[in-house]
Amino acid sequence: MKNDRPTGDIATALSLVTGATILGGIVLACRKPHVPVKKPQATVAAARRLNRAAGTLAASVLIDSAIEHYRGNFHNKAMITPLVTASLSLAASLHGTADSKGEAHVIRDLIYAGAGLTGLVGTGFHIFNISKKPGGLSWQNLFYSAPLGAPAAISLSGMLGFLSERLRDSHPDMPPKILGIPAGRVIGVMTSLGLMGTVAESGLLHFRGAYHNPAMYLPVTMPPVAAALLGASALGPIRRHGRLTRWWLRATALLGFAGTGFHAVGVARGMGGWRNWRQNLVDGPPIPAPPSFTGLAMAGLAALALLEDHPDD
Amino acid sequence: MSADPFLSDPFAAPRAIGGRAPDVMKAGGWLPMKQHDNNEEVDFVVIGTGAGGGPLIARLAEQGFSVIGFDAGAYFRPLEDFASDEIEQQKLYWLDERIIDGANPIRMGGKNSGKAVGGSTVHFAMVSLRFRPEWFKSHSLLGYGADWPLDWREMWDYYARAEKALSISGPVRYPWGPKRPRYPYRAHELNGAAEILARGAEAMGYQWTATPLATVSAPHGDSPPCVYRGFCRFGCSTNAKQSQLVTFIPRGIAAGAEIRDLAMVGRIETGPDGRATGVHYHREGRWRFQKARNVIVAGYAIETPRLLLASANDRYPDGLANSSGLVGKNLMTQSNQAVFGVMDKEVRWNKGPPSLSITEHWNYEDRKDFHGGYCWMAQGPLPVEWATIVAGSRKRWGAPLREEMMRYNHQVGLKMVGEMLPDERNRVTLTDEVDQYGLRIPRITYSWGDNDKALIQHALGEMERSLDLVGAKDIFRQEDDTNHLAGTARMGSDARSSVVNADCRSWDIPNLWICDGSIFPTMGGVNPSLTITAISLRTADRIKALAKRGEL
Amino acid sequence: MTDRYPGYDVLAKRRTPSWNEPTRQVVNRRLAVPREPRYLTPPLFTVLDAVCQRILPQPTDRPPVPLAALVDDKLFTGLQDGFRYARMPDQGEAWRRGLAGLEEAAEAHYRLCFVKLSGEQQDDILRRMERGELSGGALGDMPATLFFEHRLILDIVTVYYAHPTAWSEMGYGGPASPRGYVRMGLDRRDPWEAAEAHDGDETKARLENGFVG
């Protein structure tokens, strides 16, 4: 039988991540120095909200990947990577949340860029893992092999943090822009896409759970509406559904926490309940996963605030 | 009331008594249960509460009939009564003595019997497969066996209902046969043994799939998802398994049916008009008689003919429903041979349900030089069963046996479920010895035919090739195993060549019905329980329709 | 025989979520089986004991399994198989005849009683029975091969592999309820499963087996 493990090169993976991170860092560090001017408070506030969102996502990924990779017994040493990256991203986000300075921080930038890349590499690993399984890209493997969507969550955390840094970097006298596009719109669109990706992941896993509880439909119905509303605001006229969008995003943020509660109940329903936690915490619904919706909704709210503060239409 | 299981012995006294029955989903819990007097002529007595009896008890009660379900076995509370132990859990099997003979005697026990409320579904391997449509007309379409008086399209509908009622966890797409609706629950994760089957099938160019199983992959009602403890064939102590005991039986009780556990039916009585009038049963130390308007026998392929034969009287000297002379004849079992090998990797095949993956390739492929089909599935025998296989198939004992047993965690195997052809010489008769109830012990006579042997050899060769292709070493064959039963009261469209009609109603006695695996005219190459359940659901609907027309 | 799962003791899991109360009771009863015969006569029981030692020689470094007592317990409690070959008497009678038949064969071939024979001589008698070379006498019309394969081997092998000593030796996870298993794939071990000693890392396996629970 052929070897079915991506034994392959852990070292390659790690050096890829590290290399890419360093490279990204150098690029960032070589940027033209920006003028340290006092930024409008609103922009920094939005940046800090993005840090918070990135941190929430990072925390979710940290615990979720810890549990899932523990299940996989860390049989490939690279499986430690998301724990390291998510911890760093979490630390950077805490730092950023507390930081009211109007300029990007090189270390945070490095970490966020690294997180973004880790997610991409992780996705590659997970695709490789699935391709080695009998059945290939089948429902069975999408359900039970390395989850395709999971590594993207750390990418999202990195992306939000990275965008936060770009906000801080933006020109003080003009509405904040990223790549020449109003920042609110960029962040809004990216967050909207992130929400849809997360919806796909929870949709897949809730399908695996056969939607046995009607509440399992919530994460595949509420967040898509949030994503659509946010996307519409980011791409079109801002004020049209501003109020509705804001409330819907808030509800989605709450849904993330509620999901954790639902999942905790699900764990308790497993045979042996919490007494059998070593099985049920791993086999049951993932308790740390739902707050990724909270993180994304928080980012969406930040984007919405930016859009409303700097209307460009 | 106490939750301590050892304050109450399921065998000491009936549990379904005093207006209540155990609520198996809750430790120490009870369900209110309607009870009937022996002199009250109930609409239906159902003898046996397994895959054949269970759905009928529930559906008939839900239609408003008064129903009593009898079972010779105990009313277990899985959460409290079930140990994780191969020996202790033999209490779920029908271990009363049966005499076996013929050229290939069928070893009776856990692989083909059950003695419990819920029947053998309490310890079945949960494999829930549909017949290939052509098998319902195997004589006219495939040239062997006998035709069923049922249409596969109608059965397809009842299969779907059975799958829904049993919350089957199955693959999103099933590779063989006509389209079927999505299974209610998603398939389970594969274990190592199942993955080996899949790799072997892919190496041969055959399709494979996760096996549709009657154990839930996500919570359902009070059933938690399966925890992959691997003792499925020794009773599910978590109630993840959707046996009759946790599905149709509680449904029936809620709808007003009565269950009588530890109640052995010994004889069906007939009246001057030739119709059944009720049943003699042994419970709480003495024989009793329950009056009934209709009697449904659902005791499976040994106890059903045994009861019909033992109920012979002046009017029916050859036994009830036996004008065709076919009661007890055409007994069928399924070839259950296996090929085993050793992997370098740790497989730990005892984890999870034993048959998590399957290939039905040879059920749907007709280019072969024998009749009938077979499938094979992954395996995970526990130590006692594995030791008896090694000792039996390899003639090992002494140090070589112990040495070989040390490789347990690396062992892997493929086991077939193969179709055996009906043969009137394979049959159930009564001996002159009597059992603990004073009832005559059955004799089970079985010999494989040439076609059966050809099919087995073909399957062994294929399975061996598959294991060889995935790098298994020290491969050996288990040549002699069988499982499941059918036949002995076959269904047909002619009173001279069958015992019951398509509605499971006996040709001879209009208020005597038979609804279990006994009525199968052919065996098919898949585990029979889902087909029995589907036919039982159909029979309940037919009884409703006949009652409406006043034809009961 | 090398210890493939050094330091693994399935009984260490007795108080973990892998064992429920009914299982503890059942295994406790098994471990406490009376060592004196209650069904067979003492002479036949000593023959049975000698037979058991040949059919399943026991590990020296684990608690011994009282095989003969467990077989006698099966006969005493009357746990049935669910079937009887038409050519076989019931299990108790079969055992009585079979053991007496071995005794007769020992006398016939070696002029000694079975328990006095060397291990190799005992194996020789057992193989003669396995090949169906013994007949008549105490065996009566019972076919020797059928008795050997479907009574003698089956009963002894069954009681041995239903014993925790055997489970520990072969690295079997043992009872599993309410806690089952999580890591399902190839080469995956849950922390409450036996760790196997691979070449040269017996220490590692022994260490890991110390934490099984």
Side-chain angles (χ1 to χ4, degrees), chain B residues 4-27:
Chain B
D4 182 357
F6 298 97
L7 294 181
S8 135
D9 173 359
F11 296 99
R15 282 175 167 174
I17 210 160
R20 63 182 196 176
D23 179 354
V24 295
M25 308 308 290
K26 295 184 178 66

Side-chain angles (χ1 to χ4, degrees), chain C residues 19-174:
Chain C
W19 289 50
N20 63 9
E21 189 52 30
T23 305
R24 279 190 284 267
Q25 302 256 0
V26 163
V27 174
N28 284 348
R29 281 203 298 273
R30 191 165 300 151
L31 294 174
V33 67
R35 301 305 199 260
E36 300 303 315
R38 287 173 294 166
Y39 184 86
L40 293 170
T41 59
L44 287 183
F45 188 76
T46 53
V47 178
L48 172 61
D49 196 39
V51 169
C52 288
Q53 286 176 39
R54 298 317 299 169
I55 300 300
L56 270 166
Q58 303 223 15
T60 49
D61 54 345
R62 297 195 184 267
V65 184
L67 293 173
L70 287 163
V71 171
D72 183 78
D73 184 62
K74 186 201 181 212
L75 302 176
F76 180 74
T77 52
L79 178 65
Q80 300 281 319
D81 304 315
F83 63 89
R84 196 180 90 218
Y85 285 95
R87 291 180 294 160
M88 291 285 286
D90 80 80
Q91 59 176 0
E93 176 65 14
W95 266 112
R96 276 194 298 261
R97 284 200 221 166
L99 292 171
L102 286 172
E103 190 68 12
E104 282 176 3
E107 287 286 351
H109 290 280
Y110 295 105
R111 305 257 165 247
L112 279 172
C113 56
F114 190 84
V115 293
K116 292 272 169 60
L117 300 182
S118 71
E120 275 169 25
Q121 291 169 328
Q122 289 174 336
D123 284 356
D124 172 55
I125 299 293
L126 288 167
R127 284 204 195 89
R128 285 169 192 271
M129 175 177 262
E130 183 178 22
R131 291 194 297 263
E133 290 168 14
L134 309 186
S135 64
L139 290 177
D141 57 357
M142 180 172 77
T145 305
L146 206 53
F147 168 74
F148 185 85
E149 287 181 353
H150 292 288
R151 189 82 281 150
L152 185 145
I153 289 284
L154 214 60
D155 281 349
I156 296 173
V157 161
T158 296
V159 297
Y160 182 69
Y161 285 101
H163 194 280
T165 287
W167 300 342
S168 297
E169 167 185 53
M170 63 196 278
Y172 169 58

Side-chain angles (χ1 to χ4, degrees), chain A residues 1-290:
Chain A
M1 188 168 64
K2 276 187 304 192
N3 193 342
D4 59 321
R5 281 290 138 222
T7 47
D9 246 335
I10 297 154
T12 315
L14 284 174
S15 50
L16 208 69
V17 174
T18 329
T21 310
I22 292 170
L23 203 71
I26 292 170
V27 170
L28 287 168
C30 293
R31 292 160 307 171
K32 62 177 188 305
H34 45 72
V35 211
V37 209
K38 202 167 179 333
K39 287 271 160 58
Q41 211 44 48
T43 305
V44 176
R48 292 168 69 184
R49 290 174 77 176
L50 279 183
N51 284 129
R52 203 180 308 148
T56 308
L57 266 170
S60 166
V61 171
L62 173 61
I63 307 176
D64 198 38
S65 66
I67 292 177
E68 290 298 325
H69 286 182
Y70 168 77
R71 172 205 216 111
N73 204 18
F74 295 98
H75 68 275
N76 182 328
K77 298 274 185 307
M79 289 165 81
I80 203 87
T81 315
L83 273 72
V84 175
T85 325
S87 301
L88 289 173
S89 184
L90 179 58
S93 302
L94 288 172
H95 183 261
T97 307
D99 180 8
S100 53
K101 284 202 278 295
E103 57 194 274
H105 191 288
V106 176
I107 305 288
R108 288 205 304 262
D109 248 341
L110 271 172
I111 289 174
Y112 283 136
L117 285 166
T118 304
L120 292 180
V121 175
T123 304
F125 259 97
H126 285 198
I127 289 174
F128 185 67
N129 173 293
I130 286 186
S131 72
K132 288 287 186 183
K133 290 274 179 190
L137 193 69
S138 60
W139 283 108
Q140 187 75 16
N141 289 333
L142 287 176
F143 290 153
Y144 296 111
S145 292
L148 275 190
I154 189 64
S155 283
L156 284 175
S157 170
M159 179 198 76
L160 293 178
F162 193 76
L163 291 174
S164 152
E165 299 306 306
R166 300 289 72 70
L167 262 187
R168 293 180 200 252
D169 258 354
S170 62
H171 198 286
D173 302 329
M174 297 206 302
K177 290 198 172 186
I178 296 169
L179 297 170
I181 305 165
R185 293 195 182 272
V186 173
I187 298 167
V189 168
M190 296 309 281
T191 304
S192 177
L193 291 174
L195 271 170
M196 287 314 293
T198 310
V199 165
E201 172 84 353
S202 75
L204 175 72
L205 294 180
H206 284 191
F207 177 50
R208 181 180 91 184
Y211 292 96
H212 66 86
N213 184 327
M216 292 168 79
Y217 286 105
L218 285 175
V220 293
T221 48
M222 271 182 68
V225 174
L229 287 169
L230 181 63
S233 294
L235 292 170
I238 295 155
R239 296 189 185 281
R240 199 119 147 246
H241 303 294
R243 205 180 150 81
L244 175 63
T245 309
R246 186 156 50 248
W247 280 103
W248 203 277
L249 282 167
R250 285 177 182 158
T252 303
L254 278 180
L255 175 72
F257 289 126
T260 289
F262 274 115
H263 285 193
V265 171
V267 167
R269 274 182 84 179
M271 186 61 192
W274 282 100
R275 195 170 80 84
N276 186 16
W277 64 272
R278 290 172 84 187
Q279 169 151 40
N280 290 334
L281 208 55
V282 183
D283 269 347
I287 289 180

